[in-house]
Each structure stands twice: as C-alpha cells, then as structure tokens.
Amino acid sequence: MTDSPAGPGTVSRVVLAAADIDRALTRIAYEILEANKGGKDLLLFGIPRRGYPLARRLAAKLAATDPALDADAIVGQLDVTMFRDDLAHQPTRAPQPTQLPAAGIDGKVVVLVDDVLYSGRTIRAALDALVDLGRPRAVRLAVLVDRGHRELPIRADHVGKNLPTSWREKVRVRLTETDGTDEVVIEAGA
Amino acid sequence: MKHLLGTESLSHANALAILDTAEEMAAVGEREVKKLPALRGRTVVNLFFEDSTRTRISFEAAAKRLSADVINFAAKGSSVSKGESLKDTAQTLEAMSADAVVIRHHASGAPARLANSGWIDAAVINAGDGTHAHPTQALLDAFTMRRHLARLAGTASTGTDLAGLRVIIAGDVLHSRVARSNVWLLRTLGASVTLVAPPTLLPVGVEHWPCTVNYDLDAALDAGVDAVMMLRVQAERMHNSFFPSTREYARRWGLDDARLARLDTLGLADTIIMHPGPMNRGLEISSAAADSPRSTVLAQVRNGVSVRMAALYLLLSGDLHDDAATPFSKDAR
C-alpha cells in the first residue's frame, strides 16, 4: 500500500531522510537506557509491520551501548490484529506472527515500538495483547513519528519526531527492510 | 468471500490466506491464555443434522477461542424431528441474529441452499454435506501436509503450498465428501492426487476429476507416495453391497500391517498416514498403522481447531465492509 505512487493531485514531502531516522533512533535508544537506568530487564516489542524492523534497529543500538545486552534475545514481535476494535469495519486483515523472547515477559520492562502514533488504537490493542502473554513490570512506548489526533488517553514515552498534521494528510514511513528505502513522507490530499 | 461452501472455487491465494492465518491461530493454542477477542459479541451456530464428534467439538472450540458465543443445535431432540423444514430452522436462527452458521447436513447442497436462498444474512460454513464437500477437513489435511513438508525441509510453512507432493486417497471415494474436497484443494495447491478404490466405490465421472485413478493399492504405493490418506468405509450410507466381504476389502484396499511394513521396504521413510476419522480399525486401517509414528490422525484433529479458527475469523471479521474483489488485505492500515 505504501508502495503505490502518489496519485495525481497529491503532494508529497520528505520530512525525515535516512540520516534523520538513524539519529532519531540513536537518541531514542539512549533515552530508553536512561529511563530504565541501564539495560536490565529490557524487552523491545515491534508491532507489525514496520515496528518490528525499528525494534531490531533499536536493539542493535542498545547492544552497542550496553555490551551486557544481546540484541537478538531482547527483540520480539507483537501482533495486535486480533485485538483491534475495528475488525468488523475494515477489510479482513491477515494476522502476523507473534514472536516472544524465550524468557517470557513476566517482570520485564516492555518497550512497544511502532512507526506512527496516530489515534492510539493500535497501542490499546497492543496493551490488551500483552495482558494475554504475561505481566510485565512496566510497559513503555517508543514511536518514530507522533502525528497527533489521539482518540484515546495514550501518549508515547519516546518520540523520534513530533509531526503536526492534518487528518487529510497521510504519513508514510518507509524502511529499508520492508520498502527498500529509509524515509518518512507526508502526502497531502488534493 | 462470505461463505465457505467448498474447495472447488477456492483460489490459490485464498487457500494460502486461510492456511497462513491458521498457522498464527495454532501459535495461540500454545500460549497460556488460549483466547483471542477477535469475535467478541458474535454468535456462531453449530447446526448439525448429522452425527459428528470431532467436527462439532472442533468448531465449538474454535469459536470459543475467538470469544464468539456458540449455540449448538443438533437435529436429534429438536423441532426438526417434528418435521420443521430447513427454511424455518434457518429463519429461527436469523431471528436470534446468528453471525455465522456452521452446517452439517445429510443432503448434498443444503449449505449452498442456506447461503444463496436469502433466508439468512449469516456467513455459512459447510461442515460436511451429504457426499458433496467438507472444506474445513480438506483445509486441515492440507495444513497437516504443509507442516509435514516444512518440517522435512526445516523451513517455516507460512506462504508455501504443496507443489510436488504425491498423495494417495484410498477407500470409499464414492461416499466421501472428504475425498472430493481434498481432490480440488490439493489440485489448487499443486499436489498430485491418486485415488485408489475398488471400481464399485468410485463415482461416475471420476475420470473428469483432476487426479489419477488406480484400482490397486500396492501398485500405487510402489509408485512412491508422500501422504496416504485412508477413507472410512461409510457403512451407514451403503445400501448395496459394494464389495464381497469386509475381510476381502481389508486385504485388498486396507492399510494393513503388511502394507505398513512395505512403506519401510520401499524406502518411504517420510510418508505420513492420514485418516479423517472416525476410523474402522481392522477394516480400512490396521491398529498398527493407526498408532504408528507415521500416523497424523491426532495432529489432524489438533490442526482442525486452528484451521476452523482461521475460517471463522476470515469470514466474520471484515463482513461489515464487504469487498468481494479483495477479500484479504494484508497491508491495510
């Protein structure tokens, strides 16, 4: 869907280039370590699809900073499809795999990672999905872009970029792992 | 896709979507909390006009794991025994606002009648009708074969089909809806199917099915096979004599101990033995074969819950936004 070329009458503007995304992730990685006072008990859960590559990148940065961390052992993927509140109103979504770190999530600090924070409904679904998997000590939220327009009382702990948008605009996050290139683009409707 | 009535019209993409979704549903079954809220507030009616153990329990477990409310209806002990018609039963369910009707019926075509007559709005899932179709059984068989292939190759099964798999379906093909649904689905997924049965237990027109036919089980085994599916001899549907005696049937078309040993002699170490159940031990399958490590009978039952969860989820989740052209959208946000 993100790959479709912008139709006639749409204007797209790059707001984060590859280097900006990398810098934002580096800062978030340091913020996570600072807020957690080190790497103890940290787990990073990416929300499909683009949250997962972001979680992997963050984990690599965390591991580079704190050698006690094993990047592969702290990353997971959390599918929230079955917990969404709009299942009956959207075209059917195929669920994605959920991959948990072997140690489980009880007593851990889980950082949810997603690309765009918008209505907050995906994160609500993620919180419900987490409850069924165990009882983390704390849950935090890291997003690459916060575009506003929240519909639920949810906020991010770590934000790559706050991006004031109109609801008519579309925010596209493209990542090398899923789309072949690293950029964040705003598309304005005609 | 609003209903699941058969496998003949199921596209390759939709079949894979169901199997891939079932793979994720199977992962839920291994968790501590084996429940998803996806169908909360939806009502699934199990409408069974024919006896069943595993299919009904399996559909009930699947619906409950997706948090749907389940109403079980068995024709025995209901107003059907007072002569109520299918239409009146269906409209009763409609009045109770059922979202999905899982129907098993002794008459071929009853689910299609229910789906296309305009009597009800609910999604209809065929859980076996007469000698016509049993799509979820075929899907769970394909799921079991796909996992077997993936295990042999040491890869993930998601996204793969059954290209190149050699399957023998042996036994009472004439009365078997399982065989019919499997022939079509396995063809779609790229497997090659050989039917083995006495000529009296093959339907008229079998030569037009996308499979080959062999009357000799030993010859079919000799040709090499990756999965042997034995069908139940459906004595309750046999009002004629189709073979001289059960002893002769077991000797010539049953998977007995000698043929089980032959699989080893032929070097077919990875061949699995499947059976949709219930088994007639000693008739179409020997106890040694049914309980051997090759047997996937219990795995099939386990996979049945995952596949039926996938079918219920895919049919019920997007139905307020019906888009026939693209029933599954993987990337929608």
Side-chain angles (χ1 to χ4, degrees):
Chain A
M1 190 171 116
T2 351
D3 301 327
S4 61
T10 61
V11 185
S12 68
R13 178 163 55 91
V14 176
V15 286
L16 290 180
D20 303 320
I21 292 177
D22 191 57
R23 273 193 292 273
L25 289 177
T26 306
R27 176 172 54 75
I28 291 175
Y30 279 112
E31 281 183 14
I32 290 173
L33 283 176
E34 188 185 8
N36 195 49
K37 299 187 170 63
K40 192 167 178 297
D41 291 340
L42 267 183
L43 292 178
L44 300 180
F45 277 8
I47 297 173
R49 293 163 54 153
R50 293 184 182 78
Y52 181 64
L54 289 175
R56 289 215 71 91
R57 292 190 198 183
L58 279 173
K61 288 181 187 297
L62 290 176
T65 317
D66 185 343
L69 289 176
D70 173 6
D72 290 328
I74 61 170
V75 180
Q77 170 161 292
L78 182 68
D79 181 55
V80 306
T81 310
M82 311 301 284
F83 296 86
R84 303 193 71 98
D85 57 8
D86 57 358
L87 283 175
H89 304 275
Q90 294 280 327
T92 303
R93 295 159 186 262
Q96 304 288 315
T98 287
Q99 293 151 5
L100 292 183
I105 68 169
D106 287 341
K108 300 292 175 75
V109 175
V110 173
V111 181
L112 297 173
V113 183
D114 204 0
D115 51 354
V116 179
L117 180 57
Y118 186 22
S119 64
R121 289 178 189 267
T122 303
I123 305 304
R124 184 213 59 81
L127 292 172
D128 276 3
L130 270 184
V131 169
D132 283 359
L133 298 175
R135 186 175 187 278
R137 180 157 61 81
V139 182
R140 314 224 183 277
L141 174 60
V143 296
L144 184 58
V145 173
D146 181 350
R147 63 168 295 190
H149 304 280
R150 213 75 75 241
E151 294 165 7
L152 295 169
I154 280 171
R155 67 166 175 78
D157 300 275
H158 312 290
V159 180
K161 185 168 179 61
N162 281 298
L163 208 58
T165 55
S166 147
W167 61 267
R168 264 188 237 92
E169 294 169 319
K170 288 192 166 138
V171 176
R172 306 282 195 208
V173 172
R174 299 192 178 110
L175 298 174
T176 316
E177 294 90 331
T178 48
D179 313 281
T181 176
D182 266 5
E183 61 179 6
V184 178
V185 175
I186 291 190
E187 283 170 9
Chain B
M1 193 168 74
K2 161 121 191 181
H3 309 292
L4 182 61
L5 301 176
T7 53
E8 192 171 348
S9 58
L10 199 63
S11 70
H12 187 264
N14 280 356
L16 280 194
I18 295 173
L19 296 181
D20 288 350
T21 304
E23 202 70 59
E24 308 310 330
M25 298 299 181
V28 175
E30 286 151 23
R31 295 193 335 206
E32 203 171 324
V33 180
K34 296 180 185 55
K35 215 164 165 87
L36 292 168
L39 299 183
R40 214 154 49 92
R42 303 303 196 88
T43 304
V44 175
V45 178
N46 284 332
L47 190 56
F48 277 66
F49 291 90
E50 213 181 65
D51 296 340
S52 160
T53 307
R54 69 211 86 223
T55 306
R56 188 178 55 73
I57 292 177
S58 180
F59 266 110
E60 183 169 353
K64 283 182 171 167
R65 282 196 184 167
L66 291 171
S67 307
D69 296 314
V70 183
I71 298 173
N72 282 316
F73 173 99
K76 275 179 198 157
S78 74
S79 289
V80 170
S81 54
K82 300 177 193 162
E84 188 170 63
S85 70
L86 179 62
K87 180 177 180 181
D88 289 334
T89 307
Q91 285 176 336
T92 307
L93 301 177
E94 176 73 0
M96 289 181 189
S97 59
D99 295 290
V101 176
V102 175
I103 176 172
R104 163 164 293 193
H105 204 282
H106 43 78
S108 303
R113 181 87 177 119
L114 201 58
N116 301 324
S117 57
W119 295 335
I120 57 171
D121 283 334
V124 175
I125 300 183
N126 184 355
D129 58 334
T131 58
H132 171 233
H134 193 351
T136 56
Q137 177 72 39
L139 284 161
L140 76 89
D141 289 337
F143 185 85
T144 307
M145 292 179 207
R146 194 171 82 144
R147 280 203 155 180
H148 173 68
L149 277 182
R151 197 174 50 78
L152 290 182
T155 55
S157 54
T158 307
T160 61
D161 62 10
L162 300 175
L165 191 80
R166 298 163 299 174
V167 183
I168 288 178
I169 302 179
D172 184 1
V173 176
L174 179 63
H175 299 104
S176 177
R177 53 196 174 212
V178 176
R180 284 166 178 78
S181 282
N182 261 305
V183 164
W184 293 111
L185 181 67
L186 293 175
R187 182 255 343 227
T188 304
L189 292 174
S192 61
V193 179
T194 304
L195 298 177
V196 181
T200 49
L201 286 176
L202 284 167
V204 174
V206 69
E207 62 275 12
H208 302 302
W209 292 8
C211 58
T212 53
V213 175
N214 199 331
Y215 302 127
D216 185 343
L217 183 55
D218 289 316
L221 290 176
D222 286 348
V225 58
D226 301 303
V228 184
M229 185 184 303
M230 302 309 296
L231 299 171
R232 184 171 66 90
V233 175
Q234 304 196 25
E236 79 276 17
R237 292 188 214 275
M238 291 188 183
H239 308 297
N240 277 313
S241 55
F242 290 93
F243 42 82
S245 75
T246 53
R247 290 261 311 265
E248 181 173 338
Y249 182 88
R251 278 291 276 283
R252 293 195 56 183
W253 290 286
L255 188 60
D256 55 12
D257 296 358
R259 293 197 175 93
L260 179 66
R262 232 174 115 73
L263 288 178
D264 293 324
T265 333
L266 291 166
L268 298 167
D270 294 323
T271 298
I272 52 172
I273 297 171
M274 310 178 73
H275 194 296
M279 292 185 280
N280 294 318
R281 284 173 187 255
L283 182 50
E284 73 266 4
I285 189 166
S286 73
S287 268
D291 300 330
S292 81
R294 294 176 185 274
S295 162
T296 60
V297 174
L298 291 177
Q300 285 169 269
V301 175
R302 202 161 33 241
N303 294 340
V305 178
S306 308
V307 164
R308 285 166 181 133
M309 283 172 78
L312 283 170
Y313 166 70
L314 291 171
L315 288 180
L316 285 184
S317 64
D319 63 347
L320 300 185
H321 178 110
D322 214 13
D323 188 351
T326 52
F328 306 116
S329 159
K330 281 200 174 203
D331 195 55
R333 300 191 59 96

